[in-house]
């Protein structure tokens, strides 16, 4: 759940402002290397580059942009560090383990006598770090000049490029790790001042891309075959506050560009509670859209108001609950992920018990649990620490509580639409996600990568579910007016097939009421009847089993009509007979042909058996 960029001259969209401090390059020959050890110095663009990325999806997007520019210039990108002529490490400063892994990799590159460029948050936020001595570094706002830095480093120079005035353009060359997924940075930096966070030291204050530049990028990647678009930033909810717009304005503009056939779906990135509280209804409406995942990552970090105040998180546990309860109430099948930091300085046993209580109450399907690590230069690093043994024990206890949940229990037998975008690490399964962003593993040909399809859920695990690909008739697809099975397909498109939120129609029982409530809903902490939603992963199990020996088309239509026909999902016997007659009348010629073949085969088998009986008896 997990869930960005400067060229001299034109390219950066307006409104992207950063203080310009210094750009420097100091020629310095590598002390431990001879010139003959450096390959192809006189032919730039012929070398092989190994890129290693640590951290969030924002960092992954940065690496993809750097790989794209290097590839466009002729450099080869190789996943094998031993075969590479230069290593490029894109770093993360959020946690100590990530930085420790970076330091280990730097030592390995020096031992292997490989030219090295270090990019990302660590050099940007800690440029005087001892481990960075003697290596080239490039900051988070200068990735569009990575070719220059690589060229000079291959010549034996040490380059330090850390400060620029604008962000790079979004249309730079890009080599995606997953060709079907576009990680789209919508802003950099944040407006918060969390006492434990080092990222703001690197990414800086909020800087947002314009709505126009982001919409243009969406059009570009959709035309290039992208099937998932991830909006990424340090805080998605803060988008636009520096340029006079907000997140709902951006989301509505992007959704209007999504294909009406639902072949491309949008995922909204991590957002902190303070900046979405005032936009909950608008964001809920977007999350209900059939082209948007009903999923959101909202970090809480602690269940104690005392700890949240010490963290300077700028919200209370009650306000976090308002966010979760409101989205659960207004968005069918809503899935929410959150983060917890165990052992923050000053956290008592009572504070930690409040965190346990919060996680048990909501039973989140995804919780990212971290032990507190003091980051140099942050206020929290100077606070009195909780003993390390206590921190580890709390982390283990919370992990045990979280792993006891069964968030996908009851999904067996349901029909879900999924978007398939990758192959599992075992090479056997393809990986797709439901509209609620539940991971589904299916055995299917790799030609299905980059497609959306329907699956029947066959079994569930702790972290994902398993499904079989099935075929749904065209007249049951979104836009045809019918309701599909499972929460992932409650909402149809408008009658003209467009994906605009204003025209999205709501169907099926209380789902229409939920949509209508979005415009008038008043936020309240006294939202009730949520326990079933939390236990069942945010949705009801409308379809628990499939009967054999009937046409799938007839079964889907019959169950839909049963569900819509009454509140408890049952109809009268006479009504069922009428429905069967109507569905039989709608059989296609192929259906009748298949039935005829089956009847003829049965008759032939019976005749053969009778003839055999008479022959045996007569002899």
């Amino acid at each position: 759940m997990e869930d960005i960029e400067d060229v001299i001259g034109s390219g950066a969209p307006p409104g992207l402002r950063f203080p310009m401090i210094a750009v420097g390059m100091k020629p310095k020959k590598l002390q431990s290397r001879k010139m003959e050890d450096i390959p192809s110095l006189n032919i730039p663009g012929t070398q092989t580059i190994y890129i290693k990325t640590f951290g969030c999806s924002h960092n992954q997007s940065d690496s993809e942009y750097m790989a794209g520019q290097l590839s466009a210039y002729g450099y080869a990108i190789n996943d094998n560090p031993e075969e590479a002529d230069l290593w490029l490490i894109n770093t993360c400063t959020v946690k100590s383990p990530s930085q420790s892994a970076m330091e280990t990799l730097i030592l390995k590159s020096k031992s292997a006598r490989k030219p090295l460029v270090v990019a990302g948050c660590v050099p940007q936020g800690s440029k005087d770090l001892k481990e960075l001595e003697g290596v080239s570094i490039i900051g988070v706002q200068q990735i569009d000049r990575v070719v220059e830095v690589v060229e000079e480093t291959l010549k034996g120079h040490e380059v330090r490029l850390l400060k620029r005035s604008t962000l790079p353009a979004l249309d730079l060359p890009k080599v995606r790790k997953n060709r079907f997924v576009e990680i789209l940075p919508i802003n950099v930096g944040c407006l918060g001042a969390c006492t434990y966070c080092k990222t703001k030291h690197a990414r800086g204050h909020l800087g947002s891309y314009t709505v126009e530049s982001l919409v243009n990028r969406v059009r570009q990647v959709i035309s290039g075959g992208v099937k998932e678009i991830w909006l990424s930033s340090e805080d998605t909810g803060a988008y636009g506050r520096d340029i006079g717009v907000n997140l709902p304005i951006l989301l509505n503009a992007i959704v209007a560009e999504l294909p009406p056939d639902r072949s491309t779906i949008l995922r909204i990135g991590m957002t902190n509670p303070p900046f979405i509280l005032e936009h909950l209804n608008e964001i809920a409406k977007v999350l209900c859209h059939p082209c948007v995942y009903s999923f959101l990552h909202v970090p809480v970090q602690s269940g104690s108001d005392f700890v949240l105040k010490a963290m300077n998180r700028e919200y209370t546990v009650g306000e976090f609950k308002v966010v979760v309860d409101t989205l659960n109430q207004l968005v069918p099948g809503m899935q929410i992920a959150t983060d917890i930091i165990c052992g923050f300085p000053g956290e008592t046993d009572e504070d930690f018990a409040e965190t346990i209580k919060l996680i048990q109450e909501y039973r989140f399907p995804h919780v990212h649990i971290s032990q507190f690590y003091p980051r140099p230069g942050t206020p929290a690093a100077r606070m009195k620490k909780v003993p390390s043994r206590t921190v580890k024990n709390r982390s283990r206890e919370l992990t045990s509580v979280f792993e006891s949940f069964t968030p996908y229990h009851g999904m067996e037998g349901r029909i879900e639409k999924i978007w398939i975008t990758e192959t599992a690490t075992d090479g056997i399964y393809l990986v797709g996600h439901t509209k609620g962003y539940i991971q589904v593993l299916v055995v299917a040909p790799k030609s299905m990568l980059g497609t959306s399809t329907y699956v029947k859920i066959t079994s569930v695990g702790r972290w994902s579910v398993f499904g079989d690909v099935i075929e749904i008739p065209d007249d049951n697809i979104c836009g045809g007016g019918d309701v599909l099975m499972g929460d992932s397909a409650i909402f149809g498109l408008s009658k003209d097939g467009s994906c605009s939120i204003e025209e999205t129609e709501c169907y099926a029982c209380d789902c229409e009421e939920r949509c209508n409530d979005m415009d008038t809903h008043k936020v309240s902490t006294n939202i009730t009847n949520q326990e079933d939603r939390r236990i069942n992963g945010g949705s009801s199990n409308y379809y628990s089993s499939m009967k054999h020996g009937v046409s799938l088309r007839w079964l889907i239509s019959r169950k839909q009509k049963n569900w819509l026909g009454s509140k408890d999902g049952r109809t009268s016997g006479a009504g069922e007979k009428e429905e069967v007659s109507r569905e039989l009348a709608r059989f296609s010629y192929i259906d009748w042909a298949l039935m005829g073949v089956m009847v003829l085969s049965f008759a032939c088998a019976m005749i053969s058996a009778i003839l055999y009986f008479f022959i045996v008896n007569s002899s």
Side-chain angles (χ1 to χ4, degrees):
M1 286 301 128
E2 294 358 103
D3 202 353
I4 303 193
E5 302 153 63
D6 196 277
V7 160
I8 300 172
S10 63
L16 309 176
R17 304 175 298 279
F18 282 96
M20 182 172 176
I21 299 179
V23 178
M25 181 186 82
K26 58 174 182 178
K28 178 180 177 182
K29 293 185 178 181
L30 301 178
Q31 299 297 321
S32 60
R33 307 191 69 207
K34 298 179 180 179
M35 295 300 292
E36 57 267 25
D37 294 332
I38 306 175
S40 306
L41 285 179
N42 297 322
I43 314 176
T46 62
Q47 295 84 357
T48 299
I49 312 296
Y50 165 69
I51 300 178
K52 173 66 178 178
T53 306
F54 294 96
C56 63
S57 60
H58 203 157
N59 261 23
Q60 181 61 49
S61 179
D62 282 354
S63 291
E64 291 175 357
Y65 272 122
M66 289 190 284
Q69 293 169 87
L70 290 167
S71 294
Y73 200 78
Y75 292 99
I77 308 300
N78 196 317
D79 291 333
N80 187 343
E82 303 303 322
E83 297 176 0
D85 300 315
L86 178 142
W87 291 7
L88 195 163
I89 306 173
N90 195 3
T91 61
C92 173
T93 190
V94 172
K95 299 178 183 179
S96 293
S98 296
Q99 187 161 328
S100 297
M102 172 211 74
E103 293 168 358
T104 299
L105 199 57
I106 289 176
L107 290 175
K108 285 184 178 180
S109 71
K110 291 180 177 179
S111 298
R113 298 162 66 84
K114 299 282 187 180
L116 177 66
V117 175
V118 179
C121 293
V122 171
Q124 189 77 63
S126 306
K127 61 182 179 181
D128 296 325
L129 199 67
K130 182 179 179 181
E131 285 76 13
L132 298 178
E133 293 179 359
V135 302
S136 293
I137 60 177
I138 181 171
V140 296
Q141 298 164 23
Q142 297 78 37
I143 60 170
D144 54 353
R145 298 183 62 182
V146 66
V147 173
E148 301 171 52
V149 176
V150 166
E151 280 188 2
E152 295 300 325
T153 303
L154 286 168
K155 293 176 182 177
H157 300 152
E158 178 187 341
V159 182
R160 300 216 152 202
L161 191 62
L162 291 174
K163 303 294 181 183
R164 285 299 301 275
S165 59
T166 60
L167 294 175
L170 292 169
D171 58 356
L172 292 169
K174 195 172 192 180
V175 175
R176 299 186 190 91
K177 184 177 181 180
N178 185 329
R179 64 190 177 98
F180 300 112
V181 177
E182 167 72 4
I183 304 173
L184 180 61
I186 64 174
N187 56 263
V188 302
C190 68
L191 295 175
C194 300
T195 55
Y196 58 85
C197 184
K198 185 79 171 177
T199 303
K200 189 165 184 177
H201 293 200
R203 295 285 183 180
H205 198 65
L206 181 68
S208 302
Y209 283 94
T210 63
V211 173
E212 181 184 5
S213 65
L214 291 165
V215 168
N216 287 339
R217 180 62 178 176
V218 167
R219 291 179 186 143
Q220 181 183 16
V221 300
I222 289 176
S223 65
V226 160
K227 300 304 179 183
E228 283 188 11
I229 299 173
W230 298 0
L231 302 186
S232 180
S233 77
E234 282 64 60
D235 186 356
T236 303
Y239 168 79
R241 289 172 179 258
D242 57 322
I243 57 174
V245 293
N246 58 40
L247 182 60
I249 291 174
L250 173 65
L251 294 178
N252 280 278
I254 290 177
V255 167
E257 300 295 330
L258 300 178
D261 61 358
R262 295 172 62 193
S263 58
T264 301
I265 192 164
L266 179 71
R267 191 184 89 173
I268 304 174
M270 184 275 289
T271 180
N272 287 309
F275 302 113
I276 60 169
L277 275 166
E278 62 191 80
H279 301 303
L280 280 178
N281 293 345
E282 295 95 330
I283 291 175
K285 195 168 185 177
V286 174
L287 290 167
C288 279
H289 194 276
C291 303
V292 181
Y293 281 124
S294 305
F295 169 84
L296 200 60
H297 178 194
V298 187
V300 63
Q301 304 301 5
S302 175
S304 163
D305 283 337
F306 172 81
V307 175
L308 291 178
K309 186 175 181 180
M311 292 177 171
N312 197 28
R313 289 289 289 170
E314 301 179 339
Y315 59 87
T316 64
V317 175
E319 289 171 328
F320 171 78
K321 288 184 175 182
V322 168
V323 172
V324 176
D325 290 342
T326 302
L327 294 179
N328 277 339
Q329 183 186 34
L330 296 181
V331 184
M334 184 69 197
Q335 299 280 305
I336 293 178
T338 194
D339 299 347
I340 295 291
I341 296 175
C342 292
F344 188 81
E347 182 187 65
T348 64
D349 289 339
E350 291 75 17
D351 294 324
F352 181 67
E354 290 297 313
T355 298
I356 293 286
K357 180 181 177 182
L358 179 70
I359 299 303
Q360 288 176 328
E361 179 182 358
Y362 285 91
R363 304 173 71 91
F364 298 104
H366 300 282
V367 179
H368 309 119
I369 301 170
S370 302
Q371 299 176 29
F372 171 74
Y373 293 99
R375 306 302 296 132
T378 63
R382 301 188 295 271
M383 298 179 182
K384 185 177 180 180
K385 299 176 181 59
V386 176
S388 298
R389 183 179 294 276
T390 301
V391 175
K392 291 179 181 178
N393 288 340
R394 288 176 182 173
S395 176
R396 292 192 188 103
E397 181 180 352
L398 183 59
T399 300
S400 178
V401 169
F402 166 64
E403 290 182 349
S404 69
F405 304 155
T406 54
Y408 308 131
H409 175 71
M411 285 189 67
E412 296 93 334
R414 282 175 53 180
I415 305 296
E416 292 281 354
K417 180 169 184 175
I418 65 170
W419 287 259
I420 302 175
T421 56
E422 60 183 315
T423 304
T425 53
D426 62 6
I428 299 174
Y429 292 96
L430 299 185
V431 181
H433 290 90
T434 68
K435 189 178 186 301
Y437 208 65
I438 298 170
Q439 181 174 272
V440 182
L441 303 178
V442 297
V443 176
K446 291 190 177 181
S447 59
M448 293 195 69
L449 284 169
T451 67
S452 56
T453 187
Y454 291 89
V455 296
K456 175 185 175 184
I457 306 302
T458 56
S459 62
V460 302
R462 177 59 187 84
W463 311 106
S464 57
V465 302
F466 296 83
D468 289 339
V469 175
I470 61 174
E471 185 176 342
I472 298 289
D474 290 342
D475 59 356
N476 282 292
I477 293 178
C478 179
D482 288 337
V483 180
L484 295 169
M485 303 170 72
D487 284 343
S488 66
I490 287 174
F491 296 92
L493 296 179
S494 59
K495 292 178 181 179
D496 65 357
S498 68
C499 272
S500 65
I501 293 173
E502 291 75 17
E503 297 177 354
T504 300
E505 298 180 3
C506 305
Y507 300 94
C509 304
D510 65 331
C511 301
E512 184 170 0
E513 296 175 9
R514 294 189 198 186
C515 277
N516 294 334
D517 285 346
M518 288 175 199
D519 294 327
T520 58
H521 176 74
K522 296 185 190 285
V523 175
S524 169
T525 57
N526 298 318
I527 296 174
T528 58
N529 299 324
Q530 298 294 321
E531 189 61 28
D532 288 342
R533 188 187 319 282
R534 294 171 193 146
I535 293 174
N536 291 318
S539 56
S540 302
N541 181 16
Y542 302 126
Y543 308 102
S544 58
S545 63
M546 297 284 285
K547 295 181 180 180
H548 298 286
V550 294
S551 124
L552 179 61
R553 173 178 178 174
W554 175 80
L555 177 63
I556 292 174
S557 180
R558 179 171 180 265
K559 282 190 174 286
Q560 290 168 356
K561 291 174 181 176
N562 285 348
W563 181 38
L564 293 171
S566 63
K567 270 197 170 182
D568 59 2
R570 293 172 294 185
T571 58
S572 66
E576 288 189 359
K577 290 178 181 178
E578 292 176 4
E579 289 165 10
V580 171
S581 298
R582 284 197 299 269
E583 292 302 325
L584 288 174
R586 288 171 59 188
F587 266 28
S588 67
Y589 293 115
I590 296 177
D591 293 327
W592 285 114
L594 289 174
M595 289 185 64
V597 170
M598 291 174 62
V599 171
L600 182 61
S601 299
F602 179 77
C604 290
M606 291 297 297
I607 293 172
S608 298
I610 293 171
L611 291 174
Y612 177 77
F613 176 78
F614 280 111
I615 292 172
V616 170
N617 286 342
S618 62
S619 61

